[in-house]
Amino acid sequence: DQQVKQNSPSLSVQEGRISILNCDYTNSMFDYFLWYKKYPAEGPTFLISISSIKDKNEDGRFTVFLNKSAKHLSLHIVPSQPGDSAVYFCAASPGSSNTGKLIFGQGTTLQVKP
Amino acid sequence: EPEVTQTPSHQVTQMGQEVILRCVPISNHLYFYWYRQILGQKVEFLVSFYNNEISEKSEIFDDQFSVERPDGSNFTLKIRSTKLEDSAMYFCASREGTGGYQPQHFGDGTRLSIL
């Protein structure tokens, strides 16, 4: 099942710089996209979401961009902080599901260096 | 902030034995979910539960699996006869389900090890 893909397993950035995490999807019927952050030994923590009818959503240091024609979304973190070091999951909710189940990407491990 | 809590954090069980994983969702949430993550793989949807019944399940959720909300607070996942391939992290999640789109909130998971 490759409906949601995160092609970069890892990313390393310097503190204070921008982190850009990418996600591609194949199902044009997804109606919501979400980003979760996960620390070791903890569950995924919700960060930010975007509706399929929007192209940008911003919350503090986090901005998600959606490009529907390219079936691509990205998460921008500005400025990056060492505490942002974690695994980031992209997830999508199929519009055909009335329960809001999520389909996850493989995750990208972000390391922010001081 | 309200949290989803899961117990135990780690469960070790012999193959063929029954196991029950427990979750306490956030109190005003209406939708409940179980996901699993096999080591090195994606987080996968297992089942969703709403209004005291299963609302959707994946192909993984076969007859060996069942869910129950035995009272007003607990939500359990039972595996009747465990197999080696059931070894994984199991995450419970809940969602408010009213007033527009609400994200799912996850517990810290139960690591299930089948010997």
Side-chain angles (χ1 to χ4, degrees):
Chain A
D1 179 0
Q2 295 291 309
Q3 292 193 69
V4 179
K5 287 183 70 172
Q6 294 175 255
N7 290 315
S8 297
S10 63
L11 174 68
S12 181
V13 301
Q14 209 64 38
E15 181 180 5
R17 307 295 287 266
I18 184 171
S19 295
I20 300 176
L21 297 112
N22 294 303
C23 178
D24 297 299
Y25 62 94
T26 56
N27 186 347
S28 58
M29 298 304 292
F30 288 138
D31 58 355
Y32 276 93
F33 300 90
L34 302 88
W35 285 94
Y36 283 84
K37 176 171 76 172
K38 186 181 180 304
Y39 294 118
E42 294 186 12
T45 300
F46 170 71
L47 272 178
I48 192 168
S49 64
I50 187 167
S51 162
S52 61
I53 63 172
K54 306 275 189 185
D55 54 22
K56 178 183 175 181
N57 188 26
E58 190 172 352
D59 184 1
R61 296 186 297 115
F62 303 93
T63 304
V64 57
F65 295 92
L66 177 61
N67 182 335
K68 288 184 287 295
S69 61
K71 294 191 175 70
H72 177 84
L73 66 154
S74 60
L75 174 68
H76 293 210
I77 306 173
V78 183
S80 302
Q81 301 171 353
D84 295 330
S85 298
V87 179
Y88 288 78
F89 291 100
C90 168
S93 181
S96 56
S97 166
N98 61 358
T99 65
K101 75 176 185 185
L102 296 176
I103 297 174
F104 282 83
Q106 303 96 315
T108 297
T109 300
L110 173 65
Q111 182 186 28
V112 180
K113 296 179 179 176
Chain B
E1 186 174 321
E3 292 182 336
V4 175
T5 56
Q6 290 185 243
T7 54
S9 56
H10 191 191
Q11 174 80 46
V12 182
T13 301
Q14 291 288 333
M15 186 173 60
Q17 296 295 304
E18 175 184 285
V19 67
I20 297 176
L21 308 183
R22 303 182 189 279
C23 170
V24 178
I26 296 173
S27 62
N28 64 333
H29 286 192
L30 302 178
Y31 288 87
F32 314 112
Y33 307 84
W34 284 100
Y35 292 81
R36 79 172 185 190
Q37 185 179 28
I38 294 171
L39 188 63
Q41 297 187 21
K42 290 185 178 186
V43 176
E44 303 173 285
F45 168 77
L46 291 177
V47 66
S48 60
F49 193 86
Y50 171 73
N51 200 26
N52 283 318
E53 61 183 20
I54 290 174
S55 46
E56 189 170 358
K57 60 183 180 179
S58 71
E59 293 177 355
I60 303 166
F61 194 88
D62 62 21
D63 292 343
Q64 293 300 312
F65 291 88
S66 62
V67 289
E68 194 177 38
R69 189 158 161 82
D71 52 42
S73 59
N74 290 285
F75 179 51
T76 62
L77 174 69
K78 182 194 289 187
I79 309 175
R80 257 177 278 280
S81 178
T82 51
K83 304 188 277 282
L84 292 176
E85 54 264 37
D86 294 326
S87 294
M89 279 294 291
Y90 287 80
F91 294 106
C92 174
S94 67
R95 180 168 72 93
E96 190 173 339
T98 59
Y101 185 78
Q102 298 291 337
Q104 293 178 31
H105 296 267
F106 286 77
D108 286 340
T110 293
R111 179 172 299 284
L112 179 62
S113 300
I114 307 299
L115 305 179

